[in-house]
Amino acid sequence: AGCAAPYGSVTPADAAGIRKIFRTFWPATRPYRGRLLLSLLLVGVGPFLDTAQIWIYKLLIDDVLVPRNFGTFPLIAAAYLGFALAQGLGSFCDEMLSTWLGERFVLDLRTRLFDHLHRLPVDFFDCRQLGDTLSRLTGDIDAIEALVLSGVTRTLAYLFEIVLFTGALFYLNWRLALASVLAAPVFALAARYFSKRIKNASREQRRRSGSVTAVAEESLGNVALVQAYDRHAAITERFHRESFGRFAAEMAATRLRAAFRPLTELLEVLGVVLVIGMGVWALQHDQTTLGGLLVFLTYLTRLYSPIRGAGRLSNTVYAASASAERIIDLLGHESDIRDPAQPRSLRSARGRLVFDGVSFSYLGATRPALKAVTFAVAPGQTVALVGASGAGKSTLGKLLLRFDDPDTGRITLDGYDLRRSEERRVGKECRSR
């Protein structure tokens, strides 16, 4: 009763920014910051070893193959093998540690949200589709991990690769390096253009997913009523309508991602072709070596990979932020029922219950559910509440169990108010922090 509007409608106007998301969820990583720091250090080891391995190819070509001097080959081969073993070990440790951190973060956050939901007032769930809440508790939590933890580690990995590969390019040939990085701003502009649109499509897809789950949960949970009133055709049509909306939103997001990928690949090919042409000219005029040119092209193709990945990551971040907004919306609600700072413990209550001038109104209701209700129940006495539907019988039970507090009056047990005088209701509206 009294649900004037759904709880927690998320609109683009109140969409949470990336900074707000990190302020909300980053403190949850505090118990394992040490492991997180180690994981970030391992992230930097991989690109460094990768850069060293590629450089060995230059030594192999310029110092062994071109001059046909095979005396240094065992040393180069041993160095390459050592780097490969170190990179394999680092990759194993990084994957194990990052998976532990991600799953632990999801476990703690999901438990925190589950506990928070059980502390909310009962009428919160009367005003919200349960299926949508379950969707947030499951899928949206995983998306936050992709933003807060995986997003940070992948960003650092891409940053290390870009810095190391770019440094190697300029060390080999600064003229070719300048030409090769011309495509980077275009990558950034393309990623920015697509990211915002993917975020909006992902927000709609997550909302539609919650609606589909809500319709299924509602209809299957009341299948007897659906069959009794021959409503299965209407329910099926509603389920199809919500599912089609999810399909349309998913296709919109996929269309944007599919367009972004070939565009970046085309830019990459154009950059490589330009560098190859300039590299052949530089090789012809003895401005670089064969090994230097081949390794330069290797670094260049490897450089475009993290740049392209950073563009996809920005899309992932904006898509995940849509899920984060839905979780922040749930965490922003608090119960209107305030526990006393020092509650009194009644170890063996006698059981004298008194309703003293109790009045109560539901949010949005045109008339009060209870008005100046007064009665007393003695210990051991049995009292029956009778009346027409909507007379206030269930409301009396809710007030007795403190699912709600009276607007005026008080309820006492053995003379003690169930609600301390200073703990007044803060209002029946759905209030965010």
Side-chain angles (χ1 to χ4, degrees), residues 9-43:
S9 299
V10 179
T11 63
D14 58 10
I18 301 299
R19 292 182 181 178
K20 180 180 179 181
I21 294 172
F22 272 87
R23 284 198 304 268
T24 302
F25 298 108
W26 184 254
T29 65
R30 186 174 292 111
Y32 28 85
R33 291 280 174 84
R35 289 185 176 90
L36 180 58
L37 178 60
L38 178 59
S39 177
L40 296 179
L41 292 176
L42 290 174
V43 165

Side-chain angles (χ1 to χ4, degrees), residues 17 25 40 42 56 113 215 233 235 239 252 344 365 369 387 417 420 423:
F25 298 108
L40 296 179
L42 290 174
I56 290 179
L113 180 60
V215 173
I235 289 294
F239 182 81
R344 180 180 178 85
D417 197 338
R420 299 178 65 89
E423 300 295 333

Side-chain angles (χ1 to χ4, degrees), residues 150-205:
S150 298
V152 171
T153 55
R154 278 186 290 173
T155 298
L156 286 178
Y158 291 147
L159 181 61
F160 280 126
E161 290 178 346
I162 291 173
V163 170
L164 290 172
F165 293 159
T166 303
L169 290 177
F170 276 92
Y171 182 80
L172 286 169
N173 192 309
W174 66 270
R175 294 182 179 86
L176 291 179
L178 285 178
S180 63
V181 299
L182 290 178
V186 183
F187 274 110
L189 291 176
R192 181 179 179 84
Y193 175 83
F194 283 94
S195 294
K196 292 183 178 180
R197 287 156 180 80
I198 290 177
K199 178 183 180 181
N200 293 332
S202 298
R203 182 189 293 117
E204 178 64 14
Q205 191 271 337

Side-chain angles (χ1 to χ4, degrees), residues 130-365:
L130 181 58
D132 180 70
T133 302
L134 294 177
S135 176
R136 301 186 189 206
L137 186 62
T138 53
D140 288 325
I141 293 289
D142 294 323
I144 294 175
E145 188 279 328
L147 172 62
V148 176
L149 287 183
S150 298
V152 171
T153 55
R154 278 186 290 173
T155 298
L156 286 178
Y158 291 147
L159 181 61
F160 280 126
E161 290 178 346
I162 291 173
V163 170
L164 290 172
F165 293 159
T166 303
L169 290 177
F170 276 92
Y171 182 80
L172 286 169
N173 192 309
W174 66 270
R175 294 182 179 86
L176 291 179
L178 285 178
S180 63
V181 299
L182 290 178
V186 183
F187 274 110
L189 291 176
R192 181 179 179 84
Y193 175 83
F194 283 94
S195 294
K196 292 183 178 180
R197 287 156 180 80
I198 290 177
K199 178 183 180 181
N200 293 332
S202 298
R203 182 189 293 117
E204 178 64 14
Q205 191 271 337
R206 292 305 308 167
R207 188 188 70 81
R208 290 287 188 173
S209 295
S211 298
V212 169
T213 305
V215 173
E217 184 272 335
E218 177 185 341
S219 60
L220 295 178
N222 299 277
V223 65
L225 292 176
V226 173
Q227 294 179 1
Y229 288 94
D230 194 25
R231 298 293 298 169
H232 64 276
I235 289 294
T236 301
E237 193 279 331
R238 180 185 173 195
F239 182 81
H240 174 76
R241 184 171 63 251
E242 295 295 343
S243 298
F244 184 82
R246 182 189 181 281
F247 164 79
E250 179 64 29
M251 290 304 301
T254 302
R255 183 167 56 251
L256 290 169
R257 287 191 291 264
F260 177 71
R261 186 179 299 110
L263 175 62
T264 55
E265 290 177 352
L266 177 61
L267 293 174
E268 178 181 340
V269 170
L270 291 176
V272 171
V273 170
L274 174 63
V275 171
I276 290 177
M278 296 182 62
V280 170
W281 184 89
L283 184 63
Q284 183 180 4
H285 291 79
D286 295 327
Q287 295 182 2
T288 186
T289 63
L290 177 61
L293 178 59
L294 294 177
V295 170
F296 187 96
L297 293 175
T298 303
Y299 279 129
L300 179 60
T301 55
R302 297 296 297 272
L303 174 63
Y304 284 143
S305 178
I307 292 177
R308 189 170 58 248
R312 289 196 301 267
L313 179 61
S314 65
N315 297 337
T316 302
V317 166
Y318 279 106
S321 65
S323 294
E325 293 166 11
R326 288 159 52 86
I327 300 300
I328 291 175
D329 169 63
L330 286 182
L331 293 175
H333 290 288
E334 294 182 346
S335 175
D336 292 336
I337 308 301
R338 309 292 183 176
D339 291 331
Q342 296 179 344
R344 180 180 178 85
S345 176
L346 297 177
R347 297 183 179 179
S348 56
R350 293 178 56 248
R352 179 172 175 77
L353 180 67
V354 176
F355 275 65
D356 183 11
V358 172
S359 297
F360 179 80
S361 298
Y362 288 103
L363 176 66

